[in-house]
Amino acid sequence: MKKRVSRRARGFAAATLAILGILPAGGAMTGSAADARATAGDAVASISGSTAQLASSRIRRTWRIPAIGSTGVRTVGLEDRAAHRQWSAPLSNDMTLDIGGVALDSSTLALEGLAASRVPGDPRIPGAGAGARLSFRYSAVALGSGITVERDYTTYPGSAVIEVDTRLVNRSPAPLRVSSFSLDEVTSPAPVTAEVQRYVGGSDWRDDFRAATNAGTGAFDAEAEVLRLDDGTGQGWFNVAERRGGDMSRAGRDAAGRAWIGVDYQRDLFDWGPLQTSPPDYNRLANPTYPVGGRQRTLPPLGTLRLGRAYTGVYVGGAQEAARGFVESFTRHDMPAYQRSIGLNSFHPWSHGPGLNDQQMRLEVDAAKKLGVETFMLDDQWQGQSAGDWNFDPVRFPDSLHNGTPDFVRYIKSTGVGFALWMSPAEFNGSSTTAAAHPDWICTPTGQVTKFIQDDAGLGVWDVTNPAFQAYLGGVIDRAVTSWGVREFKFDFQSWVDCGSHDYLDYEDAFVAMVRGFQQAHPGVTFELDETNDQRAWPFESAAIGPSWFDNGHTGGGGHQPGLTYVGKELHDLWSAAPWLPTSSIGFGAYDDFLKPPYTPGYLMPGALLGHFTFWTDVTRISPADAAETRWWTNWFRSKRGTIPRFSYEDTTADPADGTSWLALQPWQKDSGYLFVFRQGGDEATRSISLQGVSATRTYAVTDVRTGKRIGTFTGKTLAAGFPITLTTAYSSEVLEIAPTRG
């Protein structure tokens, strides 16, 4: 496909930029430790004497606090209140930080202030609800005056998770060099086994998106975004870092039992892009001379560096209960509440070809509406050569009124179908008038070089750390929302690069902060990221923004499993997400011109409905019978999407990328949910699926959602022991609704 060539060119540009920049150039909180208390439901933040606590009905963390101006803050308790288990040692540090080669930790930082407060919910998430917070402010006395560390710990009613967000503030006259830190840590005397989850992106070049490793009971230091510790009975605690994958993302434990999750910038060098497409030499290049050299962050005088957010939680009942506790808190309080709509994207099959035009797209909108599509997205080349200026191509989409709003935009508004746009916001075409007028907005020198690379989308790179450019792009988004009625954006082609004194980590932080600003300015508009060519923001940093477009559908490139099919790869994507990420955050391209034997709508639609559903096909060519079956599923989804939980148990362990293994995912909340089961190309016609999260003493009604037939009423004990599912033909699926009966 032409798009694939373009994205390979884009990946080459990303690698070029990274190579050119291998070596980066080099409201204060007030308060005291006076007694205080703040509540939000059963979430409580309290300060009393030499003790501070943050608790909900599920978790409680307790600190020993010294007098203001003194060192010695320590965690003295991390309690699972439901299991009545204490996981922390009596004296446990909360964090470590290396600044200019000086090692600091929470016990050697001087406490400058401590406050308890009630915090409102995230404005991007209607109904998120308030929480309770403890805010610590420390002085790095070992480095002199003017350097402070601020840490906000937050929990919410009923949550088993405590979040911590950390900032480093430099009010000294000298720049700071930050090489590594832990976002949160717990030292525990309990004999526990560690498991780490490592997530990687770049689905055009690889398939191993998630790797779980048993790190044993000893010391280790591993690339990871999730750390789970278990005492062997299915109880323990976990840490999750809200940041993208990569060698710098670390989890570990030392010989003294200090378990932590954090960042080691020095392990990172740059991004290969597609210059290396075979395992293991692709995407981020690790520093081969570590611990010498590599990346560090530079914090200038009067600057603030957000180190990131981590989640610490407790669990009982097995490994997937840890994931459930995290996902339910994350989706309720940190993940934006975008609409789980039914969409169609123009890129498949029109790509950049002549079929992407006003007349053809009107036909698609009409056919899509009959199928139940709610959002129609114009992908790359609606803008023609105007990337950076962001105007419609007047040949593809004429504007008869000459008012800046094409006729097609007015037409789609008249149909009631929502309008969506693809954009490459961090890049511009070499012919951009905006770039010519504002050369100081360009990422120099790299963007000045890449603007000459021949590509129909444009590969010049903006400096997204530039406040003037951020304001300009915000105006572009405002115009698209207010004048064109755009309700959803898909941001693509962004890649983290070095721009002068700002390194590519500054670039990443600035881009993420900018998108979150767009979300606050336009509540109800969905912003999603394309993650297909490199790691970008995958996994948790991306999920905290919106859906991730994670797959171009390519299965023949380097790093892919032999025999991997597109449909098997999509099921693999859902399997890779569950249980620690909501499958609804994964972009899912439905049909993509493979709606033909052996595939049917009855097999393909349930998988699409588990993800962020978008048709990738010419819907005018779907047969009447297939269209009728498709409409049934879109109608069912519209009526039930509010009841489909974002958390999913993973009821089968085999990776479906092999094309033969069954996949069973169980979206579940409180005591009810659904079971989605897929049989691929294997010979096995019946599988016993053990359901999770059911109460052994309750009874549940099990109903086939497609036929409406009540299969029966079963005890939770029976469902947990193994519920037989029979699918008589290969490439078929079944969706069951599971609801507790009255009493």
Side-chain angles (χ1 to χ4, degrees):
M1 294 185 295
K2 185 176 180 182
K3 181 70 166 187
R4 184 173 185 181
V5 173
S6 173
R7 289 188 174 179
R8 281 185 179 273
R10 171 62 189 94
F12 180 83
T16 301
L17 299 180
I19 291 170
L20 288 172
I22 288 177
L23 296 177
M29 181 190 71
T30 61
S32 70
D35 289 1
R37 182 180 175 88
T39 63
D42 66 35
V44 180
S46 64
I47 306 167
S48 178
S50 61
T51 299
Q53 284 192 349
L54 184 65
S56 72
S57 58
R58 284 284 286 112
I59 188 172
R60 177 162 54 203
R61 189 164 185 167
T62 306
W63 289 264
R64 185 192 72 180
I65 55 175
I68 296 298
S70 302
T71 61
V73 173
R74 296 287 190 94
T75 291
V76 295
L78 179 66
E79 180 185 358
D80 184 332
R81 303 184 75 179
H84 305 291
R85 286 294 302 271
Q86 180 62 253
W87 295 111
S88 176
L91 294 175
S92 173
N93 284 334
D94 297 348
M95 71 169 297
T96 57
L97 178 62
D98 187 307
I99 301 177
V102 178
L104 306 170
D105 61 47
S106 54
S107 69
T108 60
L109 295 167
L111 182 65
E112 281 194 350
L114 175 61
S117 62
R118 173 187 170 95
V119 293
D122 191 321
R124 302 176 304 156
I125 312 171
R133 174 173 294 172
L134 282 175
S135 297
F136 292 78
R137 187 180 66 192
Y138 300 97
S139 174
V141 291
L143 299 176
S145 61
I147 301 170
T148 58
V149 178
E150 299 174 352
R151 282 169 66 81
D152 293 332
Y153 292 86
T154 309
T155 195
Y156 297 93
S159 177
V161 178
I162 291 175
E163 306 176 5
V164 57
D165 198 293
T166 306
R167 298 169 302 281
L168 178 63
V169 182
N170 183 14
R171 298 184 184 88
S172 75
L176 303 179
R177 296 283 282 172
V178 182
S179 58
S180 64
F181 52 87
S182 67
L183 289 164
D184 203 6
E185 57 186 59
V186 175
T187 300
S188 177
V192 290
T193 298
E195 178 191 66
V196 294
Q197 301 267 1
R198 176 176 63 92
Y199 291 82
V200 291
S203 68
D204 277 7
W205 322 119
R206 65 192 303 164
D207 308 310
D208 54 333
F209 308 141
R210 178 192 67 173
T213 304
N214 186 328
T217 58
F220 67 93
D221 184 345
E223 178 187 342
E225 293 73 50
V226 176
L227 169 64
R228 184 181 62 83
L229 301 110
D230 196 294
D231 70 352
T233 68
Q235 299 184 66
W237 77 96
F238 61 84
N239 300 117
V240 178
E242 187 199 281
R243 60 179 302 108
R244 64 163 168 82
D247 198 62
M248 76 175 70
S249 295
R250 312 301 295 179
R253 178 170 54 196
D254 64 20
R258 180 183 71 93
W260 51 271
I261 196 158
V263 176
D264 189 346
Y265 293 129
Q266 288 186 284
R267 291 183 177 272
D268 191 34
L269 200 57
F270 69 99
D271 184 353
W272 276 114
L275 294 179
Q276 296 284 352
T277 59
S278 299
D281 297 319
Y282 40 53
N283 297 134
R284 306 294 170 187
L285 176 66
N287 174 19
T289 63
Y290 181 85
V292 177
R295 297 266 174 182
Q296 293 189 59
R297 297 297 295 274
T298 299
L299 177 57
L302 304 180
T304 298
L305 176 63
R306 181 175 181 264
L307 300 182
R309 177 160 48 186
Y311 303 81
T312 296
V314 294
Y315 69 96
V316 63
Q320 295 203 63
E321 294 303 324
R324 179 177 178 178
F326 167 72
V327 171
E328 289 183 345
S329 179
F330 181 73
T331 56
R332 187 175 300 133
H333 301 291
D334 298 315
M335 191 174 177
Y338 52 82
Q339 184 184 15
R340 297 174 71 174
S341 63
I342 302 166
L344 186 148
N345 183 288
S346 69
F347 197 78
H348 301 254
W350 300 281
S351 186
H352 301 166
L356 183 68
N357 61 58
D358 181 305
Q359 286 187 323
Q360 181 64 46
M361 294 302 100
R362 292 189 190 211
L363 297 175
E364 295 302 320
V365 169
D366 293 343
K369 184 174 181 180
K370 293 177 182 178
L371 284 177
V373 169
E374 299 166 311
T375 304
F376 183 91
M377 178 175 287
L378 287 179
D379 206 279
D380 192 3
Q381 285 311 291
W382 65 267
Q383 81 285 0
Q385 303 296 305
S386 78
D389 302 333
W390 298 111
N391 301 307
F392 276 87
D393 183 332
V395 175
R396 295 179 187 270
F397 298 100
D399 175 10
S400 62
L401 298 182
H402 306 289
N403 64 358
T405 299
D407 302 342
F408 173 74
V409 173
R410 290 191 290 273
Y411 178 78
I412 196 172
K413 285 183 178 180
S414 72
T415 68
V417 175
F419 186 37
L421 279 182
W422 173 97
M423 286 182 68
S424 54
E427 296 188 313
F428 62 89
N429 190 281
S431 61
S432 165
T433 59
T434 304
H438 299 282
D440 55 313
W441 295 358
I442 298 175
C443 178
T444 301
T446 48
Q448 300 283 10
V449 174
T450 59
K451 70 181 181 181
F452 295 108
I453 297 176
Q454 294 299 310
D455 182 273
D456 45 12
L459 295 177
V461 180
W462 297 114
D463 180 358
V464 299
T465 69
N466 186 303
F469 167 72
Q470 294 174 3
Y472 162 74
L473 188 60
V476 171
I477 299 300
D478 292 345
R479 170 166 56 101
V481 172
T482 58
S483 299
W484 301 337
V486 174
R487 306 307 299 165
E488 185 171 336
F489 291 92
K490 175 180 163 185
F491 287 165
D492 196 1
F493 284 12
Q494 65 275 358
S495 187
W496 320 133
V497 294
D498 296 326
C499 297
S501 62
H502 298 286
D503 83 344
Y504 85 138
L505 298 165
D506 298 328
Y507 196 100
E508 176 184 357
D509 289 349
F511 183 87
V512 170
M514 183 174 64
V515 175
R516 287 177 171 162
F518 297 160
Q519 291 174 319
Q520 292 180 2
H522 300 288
V525 176
T526 300
F527 293 85
E528 53 200 64
L529 302 183
D530 189 303
E531 308 280 356
T532 52
N533 274 15
D534 53 39
Q535 297 200 25
R536 300 186 183 175
W538 174 261
F540 297 107
E541 183 176 70
S542 178
I545 292 173
S548 295
W549 275 101
F550 194 63
D551 214 327
N552 277 333
H554 305 155
T555 57
H560 292 298
Q561 297 185 23
L564 178 64
T565 65
Y566 180 85
V567 177
K569 195 167 191 290
E570 288 196 311
L571 294 180
H572 165 76
D573 293 352
L574 298 175
W575 176 85
S576 297
W580 285 93
L581 284 160
T583 60
S584 61
S585 71
I586 305 298
F588 196 104
Y591 290 5
D592 201 15
D593 295 334
F594 50 76
L595 183 54
K596 51 193 174 185
Y599 303 128
T600 65
Y603 178 61
L604 300 173
M605 286 295 289
L609 299 178
L610 278 173
H612 187 65
F613 176 18
T614 300
F615 283 107
W616 279 6
T617 192
D618 181 349
V619 292
T620 66
R621 298 185 179 184
I622 297 177
S623 71
D626 286 344
E629 181 69 9
T630 301
R631 277 194 301 273
W632 189 93
W633 283 104
T634 58
N635 288 337
W636 178 81
F637 180 70
R638 280 200 305 273
S639 68
K640 296 291 187 178
R641 62 184 154 200
T643 69
I644 301 176
R646 291 193 172 188
F647 168 74
S648 291
Y649 286 112
E650 188 181 83
D651 291 340
T652 50
T653 58
D655 185 346
D658 61 14
T660 59
S661 294
W662 286 48
L663 173 66
L665 295 175
Q666 183 190 335
W668 200 254
Q669 187 174 25
K670 294 183 179 179
D671 207 22
S672 63
Y674 297 86
L675 179 65
F676 286 67
V677 184
F678 303 86
R679 175 188 171 187
Q680 296 196 88
D683 295 331
E684 187 179 14
T686 300
R687 283 289 302 270
S688 178
I689 306 296
S690 297
L691 273 68
Q692 303 180 68
V694 291
S695 171
T697 58
R698 297 201 69 172
T699 58
Y700 295 83
V702 179
T703 304
D704 186 312
V705 304
R706 182 62 184 92
T707 65
K709 179 182 177 181
R710 173 71 66 85
I711 294 176
T713 301
F714 307 90
T715 65
K717 182 178 180 180
T718 298
L719 296 176
F723 186 73
I725 302 290
T726 298
L727 297 172
T728 56
T729 61
Y731 303 107
S732 57
S733 65
E734 185 168 28
V735 181
L736 303 177
E737 183 175 11
I738 303 162
T741 59
R742 292 183 179 180

